[in-house]
Amino acid sequence: MSGYGPLLPVAIEAVTRAAEDMRRKPPGALTAKGDRDMASALDYEIERDIRELLRIATPDIGFLGEEDGISGSGELQWVLDPIDGTANFVRGIPLCAVSLGLLHHSEAVLGVIELPFLGNRYAAALGDGATVDGKPIRVSQTSRLSEAIVAIGDYAVGEAAAAKNRLRLALTARLAESVQRIRMTGTAALDLAWLAEGKLDAALTLSNRPWDMTAGVAIAREAGAQVVDCSGIRHDANSSATLAITPAFTSDILNILRRVSQTPPPGQSGSRLSS
C-alpha cells in the first residue's frame, strides 16, 4: 500500500455517507451561483457534514469544498464536490456523483467517486492502482480514433461563455468527424471514472476546477490514462484544462485540439485556447 493508501478508508466512509444522503434526501432549496449555475441545499449540507468528518478524522489535512471554500492548510488537502452534476440531480437524472480527492501540493494522489444512483464506487491511491467496487480496472484498449467514444465537458456558462464556447463547439464538430461517438454526461467525475473503467476512451474538459477533477484524475491515472493539459503537459491542479485520454491516441486528440485552436472564428483574424 502506498503512503496515501491508508487514507482511503476515511475517504470511502465520507463518500458513502454523502451518497446515502443523495439517495434519501431531496435537493431542497436552490441557490443561484451565477448565470445558469446553482447549488442545492443538499450540496451545502453534505459539504458541511464531510468537512466536519474529515476535520475530526484527519485534523492535519486541509479541506477545499466547492460550496464553502478552504479550511485548514498544509501540504495535503482534501477536495470535495458534494454533488457533481447538481443540474442532473435536481432533475432526477441519475448521472451525478460524489467526488472526494486528495491533493499533495498540486498533484492528485487519491480519489474516491461514488455514483449513488448507478451503484458504483471508484477508488485509487497513488501507486496502488484503481478499482470499481473493489475490483481492479484499466483504461480501454481502443487503438483507433474512429472507434473511440469521447466525453466532452459541459459548455461554459457565465462570464465570457460565448468566447469560451467557440473552442468547445469547434472541438465538438471536429471530433464528430473523427470518433465513433461523442457524449456529454454533465459530470466530470463520472466521465473520468468511466474513462478509468474503459467505458469511455477520452474525457475532455476545457477547464480545471479542483473539486471537479482531483478524484477523477487520481483514479484515471492509476487506471493507465494519460492526463494532460491542452499543450500536452502533465495535468495538475494549476492546469487550464483537463484532458484524460487512453494512451493510444493522446497525440491524435491533442493534434485535433491544436488545429481547432488555431482556426480563426468567422470574422476574426486569430484564435487561441480559452478555458
Side-chain angles (χ1 to χ4, degrees):
M1 182 176 287
S2 74
Y4 305 103
L7 291 169
L8 269 177
V10 69
I12 290 171
E13 178 187 355
V15 167
T16 299
R17 182 185 297 189
E20 183 59 27
D21 282 345
M22 288 177 65
R23 286 188 288 264
R24 291 189 304 107
K25 298 180 180 181
L30 303 180
T31 300
K33 296 168 60 177
D35 175 33
R36 292 168 287 165
D37 192 13
M38 62 185 173
S40 71
L42 191 58
D43 282 272
Y44 290 102
E45 179 182 335
I46 289 172
E47 185 169 313
R48 287 193 297 268
D49 183 39
I50 300 310
R51 187 186 297 265
E52 180 63 10
L53 184 158
L54 294 174
R55 184 191 66 79
I56 294 169
T58 57
D60 296 328
I61 300 178
F63 184 94
L64 170 63
E66 177 178 8
E67 310 307 340
D68 288 324
I70 294 175
S71 57
S73 61
E75 293 183 357
L76 294 174
Q77 182 181 61
W78 293 111
V79 186
L80 175 72
D81 192 335
I83 303 177
D84 187 44
T86 298
N88 286 350
F89 176 63
V90 168
R91 293 295 188 95
I93 298 171
L95 303 182
C96 46
V98 183
S99 177
L100 177 63
L102 183 70
L103 288 174
H104 185 185
H105 296 300
S106 61
E107 185 82 5
V109 295
L110 178 149
V112 180
I113 292 170
E114 183 150 348
L115 311 180
F117 304 107
L118 300 182
N120 299 121
R121 181 190 301 135
Y122 300 79
L126 181 65
D128 293 340
T131 63
V132 59
D133 305 326
K135 299 176 182 179
I137 52 176
R138 294 293 293 176
V139 294
S140 78
Q141 297 301 305
T142 305
S143 59
R144 296 182 179 180
L145 192 61
S146 61
E147 298 173 353
I149 297 181
V150 176
I152 294 182
D154 278 342
Y155 296 127
V157 297
E159 186 178 356
K164 294 175 181 178
N165 283 332
R166 280 195 288 270
L167 178 59
R168 288 161 167 79
L169 290 163
L171 177 61
T172 303
R174 186 64 64 89
L175 285 171
E177 300 172 353
S178 305
V179 304
Q180 186 177 89
R181 292 291 186 274
I182 296 172
R183 299 288 180 255
M184 183 179 284
T185 68
T187 157
L190 180 145
D191 289 349
L192 290 163
W194 279 2
L195 169 74
E197 194 179 5
K199 292 181 176 180
L200 300 170
D201 301 298
L204 312 178
T205 305
L206 299 185
S207 64
N208 181 36
R209 297 182 295 186
W211 44 84
D212 289 331
M213 302 303 174
T214 300
V217 167
I219 294 167
R221 279 211 176 110
E222 284 298 303
Q226 291 189 331
V227 190
V228 297
D229 65 13
C230 290
S231 62
I233 295 173
R234 182 179 172 85
H235 175 280
D236 65 22
N238 302 309
S239 298
S240 61
T242 309
L243 312 177
I245 309 169
T246 298
F249 46 81
T250 300
S251 61
D252 294 327
I253 296 288
L254 287 172
N255 285 336
I256 288 172
L257 184 56
R258 288 188 188 107
R259 289 197 297 270
V260 167
S261 69
Q262 293 165 3
T263 302
Q268 293 189 19
S269 58
S271 179
R272 60 184 179 88
L273 291 172
S274 175
S275 63

